[in-house]
Amino acid sequence: MAIAKTGNALTTSLQQPGNVVSNDGYGLLTSTVNYTGNDGGTPILKGSDHPEFSFMKAWKIAREYRSLEFVGYKVDYVGICSEADGEAEDPGLWTEATNTIANISGAASLASEGITSHPNFFDGTVPEGLDPEDFMIAGHGTGTGSAPVYPASTLVTTPVQEYVGMKGAHFKKVGTTYQFTGFKDPNSLYRGYYGKSNYLAATTGLSGIIYTSSDAVVQKFIENVGHSSLENGWTGGPLLVPNFMGEYWEGANGAQLLLSGVNFEQYGHIYKCSYQIRINMEGWPRAVYPQFTA
């Protein structure tokens, strides 16, 4: 008796129930869809469109050979979306975007820095009627913060005469300038400074993750490592620091944001960019840390 074969030959794979699309809250869409097809039919390939959102593309495919004729597909899709303005389209409708919103985490801590880099080492703002000793570290003697003039030390006179500022800070004279040599006065008044050469400076670091479908964004990340920025992103690119933290970052010495590192991974047509930013409230000197290229 002959076998009767009727119905869909499944030359084009048939989607199975249970299509779920997830938004991570920052604009990254992921979905896993199951299909059943004929082993001799048209295969599902990497880069094919999602059945609901065509801008989501297949990036990982598993095939299960269920019989001599039929094959099951488990297809993972990924895409980037923005939620359309409710006034323009139905609320919650997802539309294609190039970049996700940055997922930011941060930490504030202390790090060891040379004492001469302290902003109050040579100078400081002294309120009227208060003791300069409480607002400056070494001070500037009878000069100014940019051109200090110190009296000769009575503690260190050989082999080279040294000069003394506040709190026992000693300097040797090099031409018309002074080079810090250390805190050398063991007087109990200065015990907290004696022998010290570093201090703990506040430092803030940010870590962020952005997904992008743009090769140019990945290349821009790589180009700008070691560059500082006055703004929280670059022209035409994603925001690396959310607006609620500040949109313009300028300190006394330059831009306050420094892109200190980036890692990237590829998921089909999408790239995951993980990056680190260091914040220096005094600013990163432009001659050392060039600013972002547009």
Side-chain angles (χ1 to χ4, degrees):
M1 181 177 178
I3 299 176
K5 295 184 178 181
T6 60
N8 191 337
L10 298 180
T11 53
T12 298
S13 296
L14 182 66
Q15 179 186 339
Q16 301 301 298
N19 177 11
V20 176
V21 180
S22 298
N23 186 333
D24 71 346
Y26 297 92
L28 180 72
L29 298 182
T30 55
S31 178
T32 299
V33 181
N34 295 304
Y35 300 87
T36 297
N38 190 302
D39 189 29
T42 303
I44 297 177
L45 301 176
K46 181 178 178 180
S48 60
D49 293 349
H50 186 272
E52 185 68 29
F53 299 101
S54 61
F55 61 85
M56 296 180 68
K57 306 296 182 183
W59 75 277
K60 187 168 69 173
I61 301 172
R63 296 183 183 182
E64 179 186 359
Y65 294 93
R66 297 172 178 170
S67 69
L68 292 177
E69 292 185 60
F70 297 107
V71 61
Y73 293 93
K74 181 179 179 181
V75 184
D76 291 339
Y77 295 87
V78 65
I80 296 173
C81 79
S82 61
E83 292 194 13
D85 187 339
E87 296 180 0
E89 301 186 50
D90 293 337
L93 182 64
W94 290 329
T95 56
E96 184 176 10
T98 302
N99 308 303
T100 63
I101 299 169
N103 181 355
I104 288 286
S105 61
S109 60
L110 297 176
S112 181
E113 299 281 355
I115 189 66
T116 56
S117 67
H118 194 288
N120 294 343
F121 185 77
F122 292 107
D123 206 355
T125 302
V126 182
E128 186 176 354
L130 297 183
D131 188 348
E133 285 271 358
D134 293 333
F135 298 91
M136 290 185 276
I137 299 173
H140 47 70
T142 58
T144 64
S146 58
V149 177
Y150 300 111
S153 170
T154 58
L155 290 177
V156 183
T157 58
T158 59
V160 177
Q161 174 67 58
E162 293 198 2
Y163 299 81
V164 64
M166 293 177 175
K167 302 176 179 66
H170 276 66
F171 302 82
K172 66 179 180 180
K173 200 165 186 180
V174 181
T176 59
T177 63
Y178 295 86
Q179 181 179 356
F180 179 66
T181 59
F183 293 100
K184 299 182 178 181
D185 191 341
N187 187 305
S188 60
L189 291 175
Y190 311 130
R191 185 68 66 185
Y193 298 88
Y194 183 64
K196 303 294 194 302
S197 59
N198 292 72
Y199 79 106
L200 294 175
T203 179
T204 302
L206 299 178
S207 296
I209 297 174
I210 285 176
Y211 290 86
T212 182
S213 59
S214 169
D215 295 352
V217 169
V218 179
Q219 292 162 6
K220 189 68 72 173
F221 263 115
I222 296 170
E223 290 171 8
N224 283 317
V225 171
H227 288 62
S228 61
S229 179
L230 293 167
E231 300 178 348
N232 55 352
W234 61 77
T235 304
L239 294 181
L240 306 188
V241 179
N243 283 338
F244 73 82
M245 293 187 66
E247 299 180 38
Y248 194 74
W249 298 74
E250 184 173 18
N253 298 327
Q256 295 172 326
L257 303 180
L258 179 71
L259 183 61
S260 59
V262 62
N263 298 294
F264 50 90
E265 302 172 58
Q266 185 175 8
Y267 299 91
H269 74 299
I270 300 295
Y271 303 94
K272 176 184 178 181
C273 298
S274 305
Y275 59 93
Q276 298 79 45
I277 288 178
R278 293 189 62 181
I279 299 176
N280 180 351
M281 299 311 294
E282 294 296 311
W284 302 97
R286 186 168 187 169
V288 181
Y289 305 99
Q291 290 183 9
F292 273 10
T293 54

